[in-house]
Amino acid sequence: MSVFAVILGLIAGAILMIATGNNPLDGFYFLFRGGLMNIERVGNTLATATPLIFAGLSVAFAFKTGLFNIGGAGQMLIGGLCATAIGLTFDWPKPILLAVIIIAALIGGALWASLPGLLKAKFNVHEVVSTIMMNWIAYWIIFYIVPQYFKGPFLETESQRIPAAASLKVPWLTSLFSGSFINLGFFLAIIVVVISAFILERTTLGYELKAVGYNRDAAGAAGINVNRNVILSMAIAGALAGLGGATFYVGFASNMQIGVLPAQGFDGIAVALLGANSPWGVFAAAIFFGILHTGKGFMNAMTAIPPEIADTIIATIIYFAATSVLIERNWDKLLKFNRDNLLRRKKKESLEVEAGGDQ
Amino acid sequence: MKKWLALLLVVVFVFAVSGCGTPTPPADDTGDDAGDAPAALKVGMVTDAGTIDDKSFNQGTWEGILLAATDFGLETRYLQPGGTTEADYITEIGNLVDAEFMFVVCPGFKFETAIFDVQTRYPDAKFVLIDGFPHAGDWTPVVNDNVVSIFFTEHESGFLAGLATALQLGEGEVGFIGGMEIPPVQKFNWGFQQGVLYANENYDTNIVMNAENFIYQGTFDDVAAGQVLAAAMYDKGVDAIFAAAGGVGVGAINEAKTRASAGENVWIIGVDVDQYAEGIYDGASSIILTSAMKYIDVAAYDMIEAELNGAFPGGQILTFDASNYGIGIPKENPNLDPEVVEKVAAAFAEMQAGTLAVSDVQGDLIK
């Protein structure tokens, strides 16, 4: 993760606070205090970051293959639906149930995202368009299935509450973080970050995926099956988002609501951008976002900054930080350009001097 | 060049960190509750799905709090959760309590399980839950002494609005657009239908209701969908639509305003608060025939006042209905004839006397 980008983001937020007549020092003090002030809030920060880690990994992974996965929200919904359906249907011992829930969410997300991958590979349908449309298909599927099969006795708009045995929340963790929402999803996220980093950096599969991302034609000419890798990359991205959905719907939340596309699916794009598409970068970026999201309310409560401005400040920090990664990259290029110029000029001068010396 | 940049970053970072190290906290920081008994009450609110200016539920609650704040000199604040999960709500309630807002008003059934959690988590804080009661997810009410739970008889309110609509139209067709299919919205709908039927039976009106024009859109924020639904109903010949749907209703109102400006004779019946002002077009007239009101603002105000008087009705589930003026149609109804208002007032009096009962279940009614 780029510290430079984060600082630029915070400066942009500070400017906005000053512009709206608030003291940015107070604002940031309470923002970070709200995210980190005690063990419960640290737990909540990590819990908020958990789905973002998965969503960010999903976007980053697809991006390595040159694909832009905007379907994180829909893949999260499908993963969450698989998790919720199994959690509400089966009455197994907790370890088995959780294992099945996680695998189901993974498969659900993978299948859901491999469809756009297939369309891309076979018919060259742009994945941005198809994943966005898949989001809405997922949205309406949830809208139909949850009230039809999983609703509670009264409300048409949300599923029954997930039983304790199917929840990623575990009592020892909750009490360790004095009543926080942190759940096993966070540890799953760490494991998945490690695995993703391993796949991308140390395996043939990772190498092929990246090769396709760098240059499809070159990869194809080198004997790599481009279509297979496009589908595979989308499937893995979907599996990651599906896992994120499971941690969100049976971990962070305790039921599934209809009519809501999870915002994490889209925030994942910013997380991936800020994390420079590297698994550990994504991890750090997601935790940074977790602090912002958790601390926002406390900043609101302790200062006169109204919620709408606070939301704008958080959004400014997030998107400024994410986009300044681009500025930073170009900055490096600019520096390199200058340096090269300088070197060239020096070389030229020294040549001239040498030439002059000969005279 | 790179060194300069690094130096700049270090300076900025040190500035930021030192800023964090030497805070300028407002009057009282958290953690010192020794001897702060007479401190002024700080009232907080957490918004439900939707914004503070939703022209209905959130706004109504907030206006009640603001009125109490000016009357009694209180500090107030509202927070807007990042999502609509129980965890989001608990987080924001915790933020208010940590900032010593010890009286928190939460409008909406979605807070039920969150309030169940925080009533034991923060035993020193008081909570007002509107339209729901705390439970652990199993719909068994557990209302602790620091919580009061408030319900409204939406069916009575809907009945009065339905009666007024039928009497004013005399003849025609009415429809209904609901938000999510949740109890308060359903009760508005069923009450509205009973009001129309009552008028048909007792006052010889001829109002038609078709099942296809009684629709729950499914959200409270899809303005465009509300507009589309309203347009479809008006095209089918519906004259007045009861829109109990938050932002979706705003879409319906927009459609009605467009049509009314073009000379069509269409109406909307507002919900929760007096929406007359929202329906004004061409400067003077409004397409809001009347509104089925819940006096949410009064409820919020009353609870704050009770707390200040040391009479907070903790542990209770209160019902605001006709008998305690908790529901009704607006005091001013420029689009209703005086005799219509009179007849509605008569029905209201019968409700108060207990001689007119409105059912809060579906029975033979539409949806």
Side-chain angles (χ1 to χ4, degrees), chain B residues 213 226-238 241 255 259:
Chain B
N213 292 326
Q227 184 143 11
V228 171
L229 284 177
M233 285 189 197
Y234 288 136
D235 283 343
K236 281 188 231 165
V238 171
I241 299 172
E255 177 65 20
R259 285 177 183 246

Side-chain angles (χ1 to χ4, degrees), chain A residues 26 40-41 161 257 301 308, chain B residues 24 77 84 86 95 98:
Chain A
D26 277 358
E40 183 195 344
R41 283 177 183 268
R161 201 181 172 79
Q257 298 173 340
E308 291 77 15
Chain B
T24 47
R77 192 140 305 156
T84 54
E86 176 194 304
N95 282 327
D98 281 348

Side-chain angles (χ1 to χ4, degrees), chain A residues 26-253:
Chain A
D26 277 358
F28 283 130
Y29 173 67
F30 291 119
L31 182 64
F32 286 100
R33 229 176 114 83
L36 303 166
M37 140 170 103
N38 54 36
I39 190 79
E40 183 195 344
R41 283 177 183 268
V42 171
N44 289 349
T45 295
L46 298 180
T48 310
T50 303
L52 287 174
I53 296 173
F54 286 105
L57 278 179
S58 170
V59 175
F61 211 100
F63 204 75
K64 288 280 185 189
T65 318
L67 299 168
F68 205 14
N69 177 22
I70 318 222
Q75 292 146 21
M76 277 181 74
L77 280 177
I78 296 300
L81 179 65
C82 294
T84 306
I86 288 180
L88 289 176
T89 310
F90 298 107
D91 190 15
W92 296 331
K94 184 155 183 161
I96 300 173
L97 192 54
L98 286 188
V100 175
I101 281 175
I102 287 166
I103 292 167
L106 188 143
I107 295 174
L111 289 178
W112 192 254
S114 58
L115 198 59
L118 196 72
L119 291 172
K120 170 83 174 183
K122 297 287 177 206
F123 307 107
N124 207 21
V125 176
H126 204 288
E127 75 281 1
V128 167
V129 178
S130 56
T131 50
I132 288 179
M133 295 201 291
M134 292 293 280
N135 279 345
W136 291 103
I137 299 174
Y139 175 95
W140 289 109
I141 286 179
I142 305 298
F143 210 98
Y144 173 75
I145 289 187
V146 168
Q148 197 73 16
Y149 299 107
F150 299 112
K151 78 179 179 90
F154 295 107
L155 292 173
E156 304 282 335
T157 56
E158 54 191 55
S159 73
Q160 292 161 48
R161 201 181 172 79
I162 292 289
S167 173
L168 289 168
K169 287 195 194 93
V170 282
W172 62 268
L173 198 56
T174 306
S175 57
L176 188 67
F177 284 84
S178 33
S180 152
F181 314 113
I182 190 168
N183 53 68
L184 294 177
F186 182 65
F187 300 105
L188 186 66
I190 295 176
I191 295 170
V192 170
V193 167
V194 173
I195 295 175
S196 300
F198 182 79
I199 292 179
L200 284 174
E201 301 306 328
R202 296 260 184 279
T203 63
T204 316
L205 171 66
Y207 180 80
E208 290 193 358
L209 291 176
K210 284 189 290 184
V212 172
Y214 283 128
N215 190 326
R216 293 181 74 165
D217 300 327
I224 294 173
N225 186 341
V226 172
N227 283 350
R228 177 177 157 272
N229 278 297
V230 164
I231 299 173
L232 206 56
S233 174
M234 279 309 290
I236 294 174
L240 291 167
L243 285 178
T247 64
F248 184 66
Y249 289 106
V250 303
F252 186 78

Side-chain angles (χ1 to χ4, degrees), chain A residues 229-313:
Chain A
N229 278 297
V230 164
I231 299 173
L232 206 56
S233 174
M234 279 309 290
I236 294 174
L240 291 167
L243 285 178
T247 64
F248 184 66
Y249 289 106
V250 303
F252 186 78
S254 38
N255 61 13
M256 202 160 188
Q257 298 173 340
I258 67 168
V260 186
L261 272 180
Q264 286 82 353
F266 302 106
D267 281 354
I269 299 168
V271 170
L273 210 49
L274 182 57
N277 292 319
S278 92
W280 286 106
V282 163
F283 182 80
I287 290 188
F288 174 62
F289 285 16
I291 294 174
L292 296 182
H293 284 305
T294 311
K296 187 204 83 179
F298 191 64
M299 175 177 82
N300 265 178
M302 295 301 289
T303 65
I305 302 172
E308 291 77 15
I309 299 295
D311 283 338
T312 317
I313 290 169

Side-chain angles (χ1 to χ4, degrees), chain B residues 74-157:
Chain B
L74 309 173
E75 192 180 338
T76 58
R77 192 140 305 156
Y78 71 90
L79 298 188
Q80 198 169 291
T84 54
T85 67
E86 176 194 304
D88 293 309
Y89 290 140
I90 295 175
T91 302
E92 298 310 336
I93 292 169
N95 282 327
L96 284 169
V97 174
D98 281 348
E100 300 206 328
F101 288 84
M102 300 308 272
F103 191 95
V104 181
V105 186
C106 299
F109 73 95
K110 282 187 178 167
F111 286 96
E112 288 181 335
T113 52
I115 295 286
F116 175 81
D117 182 297
V118 297
Q119 65 184 359
T120 44
R121 198 186 282 241
Y122 307 110
D124 296 336
K126 302 253 170 70
F127 300 100
V128 178
L129 173 55
I130 298 176
D131 264 7
F133 55 77
H135 64 77
D138 55 4
W139 282 277
T140 313
V142 182
V143 189
N144 284 7
D145 282 348
N146 57 338
V147 176
V148 62
S149 167
I150 293 175
F151 283 94
F152 291 87
T153 49
E154 289 87 2
H155 44 291
E156 291 187 333
S157 183

